[in-house]
Structure formats: C-alpha cells, structure tokens
Amino acid sequence: MVTAPIPSEPSIGPNDGLTPLQSLEPERLDEHDENGGLISRTWLRQGQLHGRMDRFWPNGKPQLSANYAAGQLDGLLYQFDEQGQPLQVAAYVQGRQHGLTRVFVQGRCVSEQNFVDGTPHGPAVTYHSDGQPSAKMHFVKGQIEGSTRFFHEGRVVRKAVYLEGLLEGEVSDFDRDGSLIQVATYRANVLEGPMRRYWPGGALMEEVVYKQGVPVGLPLRFDNKGHQLDNDKAQPGLLARLEKLVRG
C-alpha cells in the first residue's frame, strides 16, 4: 500500500513561517494499492480527520463516504456494496448517530431508525421484501415504548404496547383477513390475566387465565356457536386451530 499526502497548498515545513490561519488548512491524503488504484482519500487538519473521507472497492466503486470535523464523524455517512448499491445511510453529529439511519439489503431499504445522541429514539420502521412495512415502532432512550404494529402484506397482524422494552397490556393478533385471533394481557413481558382466542367470525373459542405466566385452572372452550365444550370432547377443528395459533 502506498500513501501519498497531497497538500492543498505548496508544502512547507512546520517552522517555515506559517500563520495560524495557514496552519489550519487541511491537506489531502491518498492511499493507493500496489497497482496504483485509489483505495482511500481523506482530508487531515493538524493530524485529525477533517472534511470528506472516501474509501473505494478494488473495482473503483465507492465503499464508504463520510464527513469528519475535528476527528469526529459529522454529517451523513454512506456505505455501499461492491456493485455500488447502498448498504447504509446514517446521520452523525459530533461522532454520534443523530437523526435518521436507513439500512439496505441488495439496494432495498429494510429499516429506518431515528437516533438521538447515539441512542435509538423516536419512530422506527422495518420493511418486507416487497417494500411494505413489516413493523412500526417507537423508541425512547434505546427501548421500544408505546404502541407497536406488525404487518403482513399490508395488513396489521399484531397490535402491542411496550413499556421500557417489555410487553405491557393487551396484545392482539389478527389473521391475514383481518379477523381477530387472540387477545392476551402482559405485565413486564409475562402473561398476566385472561388470554382469549376466537373463531373466524368473532365467536369466543377459548379462554385461559394466567398468573405470572402460568395458567390458573382449566381453559374454557366453546364451539363456533358459543356453546361451552368439555375439554376432552373439543372438536377437531377447534384443536387444529389452537395448534395453528401456537405454531404461528
């Protein structure tokens, strides 16, 4: 690897009469591979990164482009794969992520996350391969907080509430047609209270009460007409639907 400093002004020694203003002028530093191909180009001021910093793949395509101020990332950072497709675009302020970060796979955006002072804070969205959202969340100081929605083919399949990163309150699950499948209650990520499952059409299928994650008593089961069933004589269709719910 060959490094070649390229001053922005004619090169002079540190004691050759530079004024304070001249000493703050950045100089360019290029790095080349053994074949002379450009690997990186950076700007330095008083030995610190200051200005644009660019790195390149062996095929010459950009690998990374970022802005520095006094040795710290400051501004937008871009990362690319060898084909030139984006991998990440992130905003920095004084060395910390601050603002929107977008992550890509094969050129497709898979997530958008807001940061404040280096910590996830604010809205966040993840995406399916078709570009539609898979989840919409909100973060407070690095943890999921408040209402969260999960999606499949554009439809909501789960609604949940989080408190300091843990499930808290009701969690509702829906099938692909938008019909309610299940409602469960959580306290600090543990089942607490009734869990109710439903037949297509909305009739109650099963109710189980939980205490600190453990079922209390036997489940109550009903057919799709609302008639209570003996657990030992539950219809095959009901048991199959319950099994599907458990498997997801």
Side-chain angles (χ1 to χ4, degrees):
M1 182 183 294
V2 180
T3 62
I6 304 177
S8 57
E9 299 292 340
S11 179
I12 55 179
N15 299 315
D16 290 343
L18 279 176
T19 66
L21 182 60
Q22 288 174 314
S23 69
L24 294 178
E25 286 293 325
E27 64 176 9
R28 197 176 84 196
L29 178 67
D30 286 355
E31 298 183 41
H32 298 83
D33 60 25
E34 295 179 354
N35 299 317
L38 184 63
I39 296 174
S40 72
R41 172 168 290 168
T42 57
W43 290 86
L44 302 175
R45 188 178 71 179
Q46 294 185 324
Q48 290 185 318
L49 291 168
H50 191 82
R52 295 303 303 173
M53 190 269 284
D54 296 288
R55 297 192 64 84
F56 303 90
W57 291 104
N59 62 11
K61 290 185 178 293
Q63 181 182 33
L64 183 146
S65 182
N67 191 74
Y68 282 81
Q72 294 183 321
L73 282 166
D74 199 273
L76 292 178
L77 177 147
Y78 301 87
Q79 289 181 289
F80 305 90
D81 64 20
E82 289 189 78
Q83 287 71 50
Q85 296 186 112
L87 294 174
Q88 180 178 246
V89 180
Y92 284 80
V93 175
Q94 296 181 349
R96 294 173 178 256
Q97 281 183 268
H98 193 91
L100 181 65
T101 289
R102 304 179 76 200
V103 177
F104 300 81
V105 173
Q106 297 181 341
R108 175 180 59 83
C109 182
V110 296
S111 71
E112 295 179 313
Q113 173 77 69
N114 282 274
F115 285 78
V116 172
D117 199 24
T119 301
H121 189 90
V125 183
T126 59
Y127 296 92
H128 288 296
S129 59
D130 61 3
Q132 295 191 77
S134 58
K136 292 184 178 181
M137 302 161 280
H138 193 276
F139 283 76
V140 174
K141 297 180 180 180
Q143 295 183 317
I144 300 177
E145 185 87 10
S147 178
T148 300
R149 299 288 185 271
F150 299 89
F151 302 85
H152 178 77
E153 296 180 349
R155 293 181 179 272
V156 175
V157 293
R158 169 169 279 201
K159 295 180 181 180
V161 178
Y162 286 82
L163 178 64
E164 297 181 350
L166 303 176
L167 287 169
E168 185 73 20
E170 282 194 351
V171 176
S172 301
D173 294 296
F174 305 85
D175 64 19
R176 295 182 180 183
D177 297 324
S179 298
L180 183 64
I181 295 174
Q182 175 177 285
V183 178
T185 305
Y186 287 80
R187 294 289 179 266
N189 227 42
V190 177
L191 284 165
E192 182 74 21
M195 174 190 285
R196 298 184 177 96
R197 291 165 174 160
Y198 299 88
W199 288 101
L204 181 64
M205 175 194 294
E206 183 187 59
E207 179 177 285
V208 184
V209 177
Y210 284 82
K211 182 72 172 177
Q212 296 182 350
V214 178
V216 178
L218 295 175
L220 298 177
R221 290 173 175 166
F222 305 85
D223 65 17
N224 57 7
K225 304 296 184 181
H227 303 126
Q228 186 171 346
L229 299 173
D230 186 320
N231 287 335
D232 294 331
K233 298 179 180 179
Q235 296 176 356
L238 179 145
L239 295 178
R241 184 166 170 83
L242 291 178
E243 184 181 353
K244 183 179 179 181
L245 287 171
V246 173
R247 291 199 312 264

CSV table of all heavy atoms in Angstrom, one decimal, residues 128-148:
chain,number,residue,atom,x,y,z
A,128,HIS,N,-40.8,-5.3,4.6
A,128,HIS,CA,-40.8,-6.6,3.9
A,128,HIS,C,-40.0,-6.4,2.6
A,128,HIS,O,-39.7,-5.3,2.1
A,128,HIS,CB,-42.2,-7.1,3.6
A,128,HIS,CG,-42.9,-7.6,4.9
A,128,HIS,ND1,-42.5,-8.7,5.6
A,128,HIS,CD2,-44.0,-7.1,5.5
A,128,HIS,CE1,-43.3,-8.9,6.6
A,128,HIS,NE2,-44.3,-8.0,6.6
A,129,SER,N,-39.8,-7.6,1.9
A,129,SER,CA,-39.1,-7.5,0.6
A,129,SER,C,-39.9,-6.8,-0.4
A,129,SER,O,-39.3,-6.3,-1.4
A,129,SER,CB,-38.8,-9.0,0.2
A,129,SER,OG,-40.0,-9.7,0.0
A,130,ASP,N,-41.2,-6.7,-0.3
A,130,ASP,CA,-42.0,-6.0,-1.3
A,130,ASP,C,-42.1,-4.5,-1.0
A,130,ASP,O,-42.7,-3.8,-1.7
A,130,ASP,CB,-43.4,-6.6,-1.3
A,130,ASP,CG,-44.2,-6.5,0.0
A,130,ASP,OD1,-43.6,-5.9,0.9
A,130,ASP,OD2,-45.3,-7.0,0.1
A,131,GLY,N,-41.3,-4.1,0.0
A,131,GLY,CA,-41.3,-2.6,0.3
A,131,GLY,C,-42.4,-2.2,1.3
A,131,GLY,O,-42.3,-1.0,1.8
A,132,GLN,N,-43.3,-3.0,1.6
A,132,GLN,CA,-44.3,-2.7,2.6
A,132,GLN,C,-43.8,-2.8,4.0
A,132,GLN,O,-43.0,-3.6,4.3
A,132,GLN,CB,-45.6,-3.5,2.4
A,132,GLN,CG,-46.3,-3.3,1.1
A,132,GLN,CD,-47.6,-4.0,1.0
A,132,GLN,OE1,-48.6,-3.5,1.6
A,132,GLN,NE2,-47.7,-5.1,0.4
A,133,PRO,N,-44.3,-2.0,4.9
A,133,PRO,CA,-43.8,-2.1,6.3
A,133,PRO,C,-44.1,-3.5,6.9
A,133,PRO,O,-45.2,-4.1,6.7
A,133,PRO,CB,-44.6,-1.0,7.0
A,133,PRO,CG,-45.1,-0.1,6.0
A,133,PRO,CD,-45.3,-0.9,4.8
A,134,SER,N,-43.2,-4.0,7.7
A,134,SER,CA,-43.4,-5.2,8.5
A,134,SER,C,-43.6,-4.8,10.0
A,134,SER,O,-44.2,-5.6,10.7
A,134,SER,CB,-42.2,-6.1,8.4
A,134,SER,OG,-41.0,-5.5,8.8
A,135,ALA,N,-43.1,-3.7,10.4
A,135,ALA,CA,-43.3,-3.2,11.8
A,135,ALA,C,-43.2,-1.7,11.9
A,135,ALA,O,-42.3,-1.2,11.2
A,135,ALA,CB,-42.4,-3.9,12.8
A,136,LYS,N,-44.0,-1.1,12.7
A,136,LYS,CA,-43.9,0.3,13.0
A,136,LYS,C,-43.8,0.4,14.5
A,136,LYS,O,-44.7,0.0,15.3
A,136,LYS,CB,-45.1,1.1,12.5
A,136,LYS,CG,-45.1,1.2,11.0
A,136,LYS,CD,-46.3,2.1,10.5
A,136,LYS,CE,-46.3,2.2,9.0
A,136,LYS,NZ,-47.4,3.1,8.5
A,137,MET,N,-42.7,1.0,15.0
A,137,MET,CA,-42.4,1.1,16.4
A,137,MET,C,-42.0,2.5,16.8
A,137,MET,O,-41.8,3.3,16.0
A,137,MET,CB,-41.2,0.1,16.8
A,137,MET,CG,-41.5,-1.3,16.4
A,137,MET,SD,-39.9,-2.3,16.3
A,137,MET,CE,-39.3,-1.8,14.7
A,138,HIS,N,-41.8,2.7,18.1
A,138,HIS,CA,-41.3,3.9,18.7
A,138,HIS,C,-40.4,3.6,19.8
A,138,HIS,O,-40.6,2.7,20.6
A,138,HIS,CB,-42.5,4.8,19.2
A,138,HIS,CG,-42.1,6.2,19.5
A,138,HIS,ND1,-41.5,6.6,20.7
A,138,HIS,CD2,-42.2,7.3,18.7
A,138,HIS,CE1,-41.2,7.9,20.6
A,138,HIS,NE2,-41.6,8.3,19.5
A,139,PHE,N,-39.3,4.3,19.8
A,139,PHE,CA,-38.2,4.0,20.8
A,139,PHE,C,-38.1,5.3,21.7
A,139,PHE,O,-38.2,6.4,21.3
A,139,PHE,CB,-36.9,3.7,20.2
A,139,PHE,CG,-36.7,2.4,19.6
A,139,PHE,CD1,-37.4,2.0,18.4
A,139,PHE,CD2,-36.0,1.4,20.3
A,139,PHE,CE1,-37.3,0.7,17.9
A,139,PHE,CE2,-35.9,0.1,19.8
A,139,PHE,CZ,-36.5,-0.2,18.6
A,140,VAL,N,-37.8,5.0,23.0
A,140,VAL,CA,-37.5,6.0,23.9
A,140,VAL,C,-36.2,5.6,24.6
A,140,VAL,O,-36.1,4.6,25.3
A,140,VAL,CB,-38.6,6.3,25.0
A,140,VAL,CG1,-38.1,7.3,26.0
A,140,VAL,CG2,-39.8,6.7,24.3
A,141,LYS,N,-35.1,6.4,24.4
A,141,LYS,CA,-33.8,6.1,25.0
A,141,LYS,C,-33.3,4.7,24.8
A,141,LYS,O,-32.9,4.0,25.7
A,141,LYS,CB,-33.8,6.5,26.5
A,141,LYS,CG,-34.1,8.0,26.7
A,141,LYS,CD,-34.1,8.3,28.2
A,141,LYS,CE,-34.3,9.8,28.4
A,141,LYS,NZ,-34.4,10.2,29.9
A,142,GLY,N,-33.5,4.2,23.6
A,142,GLY,CA,-33.0,2.9,23.3
A,142,GLY,C,-33.9,1.7,23.4
A,142,GLY,O,-33.6,0.6,23.1
A,143,GLN,N,-35.1,1.9,24.0
A,143,GLN,CA,-36.1,0.8,24.2
A,143,GLN,C,-37.4,1.1,23.5
A,143,GLN,O,-37.9,2.2,23.5
A,143,GLN,CB,-36.3,0.6,25.7
A,143,GLN,CG,-35.0,0.2,26.5
A,143,GLN,CD,-35.3,-0.1,27.9
A,143,GLN,OE1,-36.0,0.7,28.6
A,143,GLN,NE2,-34.8,-1.2,28.5
A,144,ILE,N,-38.0,0.0,23.1
A,144,ILE,CA,-39.4,0.1,22.5
A,144,ILE,C,-40.3,0.6,23.5
A,144,ILE,O,-40.4,0.1,24.6
A,144,ILE,CB,-39.8,-1.2,21.9
A,144,ILE,CG1,-38.9,-1.7,20.8
A,144,ILE,CG2,-41.2,-1.1,21.3
A,144,ILE,CD1,-39.2,-3.1,20.3
A,145,GLU,N,-41.2,1.6,23.1
A,145,GLU,CA,-42.1,2.2,24.0
A,145,GLU,C,-43.4,2.5,23.3
A,145,GLU,O,-43.4,3.1,22.2
A,145,GLU,CB,-41.5,3.5,24.6
A,145,GLU,CG,-42.3,4.1,25.7
A,145,GLU,CD,-42.0,3.6,27.1
A,145,GLU,OE1,-41.0,2.8,27.2
A,145,GLU,OE2,-42.7,3.9,28.0
A,146,GLY,N,-44.5,2.2,23.9
A,146,GLY,CA,-45.8,2.6,23.4
A,146,GLY,C,-46.3,1.6,22.4
A,146,GLY,O,-45.9,0.5,22.3
A,147,SER,N,-47.2,2.1,21.6
A,147,SER,CA,-48.0,1.3,20.6
A,147,SER,C,-47.0,0.8,19.5
A,147,SER,O,-46.3,1.6,18.9
A,147,SER,CB,-49.1,2.1,20.0
A,147,SER,OG,-49.8,1.3,19.1
A,148,THR,N,-47.2,-0.5,19.1
A,148,THR,CA,-46.4,-1.1,18.0
A,148,THR,C,-47.3,-1.8,17.1
A,148,THR,O,-48.3,-2.5,17.6
A,148,THR,CB,-45.3,-2.0,18.6
A,148,THR,OG1,-44.5,-1.3,19.5
A,148,THR,CG2,-44.5,-2.7,17.5
